[in-house]
Amino acid sequence: EAIDVLRQAVYEDDNKGFTARQSLATAYESTGRWDEASHEYEQVIAGPYKPEQIRIAKIRLANSYAAQKNFSQARALLEPLVEADPKDRWAARVLDQIDHRQNKQ
């Protein structure tokens, strides 16, 4: 299974690069394993990664939180990104999608 190979790369082969972590998180997302995906994004945010990589992880983590109906945590990640850069269309679009999802409930 792809997840096993990616998990081994990150945790056993000590490949903690952004691409490896993001690939593992994406694999978790594709199988609905939101807690595990969230953990990988949280590791990127906490770790020594480039600012753009952290931004991507925050947006993806917000989406993961929203999938778990944790809308307040998702907003808490996205609102500062949009405030810091109003031209960040991706963060703004995900924030709008989260608002729409919550309003449908």
Side-chain angles (χ1 to χ4, degrees), residues 1-8 11 21-42 60-61 63-69:
E1 178 177 348
I3 289 176
D4 293 332
V5 171
L6 292 166
R7 187 180 322 114
Q8 179 180 346
Y11 290 100
R21 279 208 185 272
Q22 183 179 17
S23 296
L24 179 57
T26 300
Y28 283 139
E29 287 174 333
S30 70
T31 58
R33 294 163 69 175
W34 299 108
D35 286 338
E36 290 160 298
S38 296
H39 174 75
E40 294 307 320
Y41 292 128
E42 289 164 352
R60 299 289 300 264
L61 179 57
N63 197 48
S64 181
Y65 285 158
Q68 298 171 76
K69 297 183 180 13

Side-chain angles (χ1 to χ4, degrees), residues 3 12-13 15 28 32-33 40-41 44 55-56 61 63 72-73 77 81 83 85 90 93-94 96 100:
I3 289 176
E12 293 174 26
D13 300 340
N15 180 357
Y28 283 139
R33 294 163 69 175
E40 294 307 320
Y41 292 128
V44 171
R55 176 186 155 271
I56 290 167
L61 179 57
N63 197 48
S72 62
Q73 266 191 297
L77 284 169
L81 292 177
E83 287 173 15
D85 182 4
W90 185 26
R93 182 170 26 93
V94 173
D96 286 343
H100 182 71

Side-chain angles (χ1 to χ4, degrees), residues 78 91-101:
L78 293 171
R93 182 170 26 93
V94 173
L95 185 57
D96 286 343
Q97 290 170 346
I98 288 168
D99 288 340
H100 182 71
R101 277 193 224 174

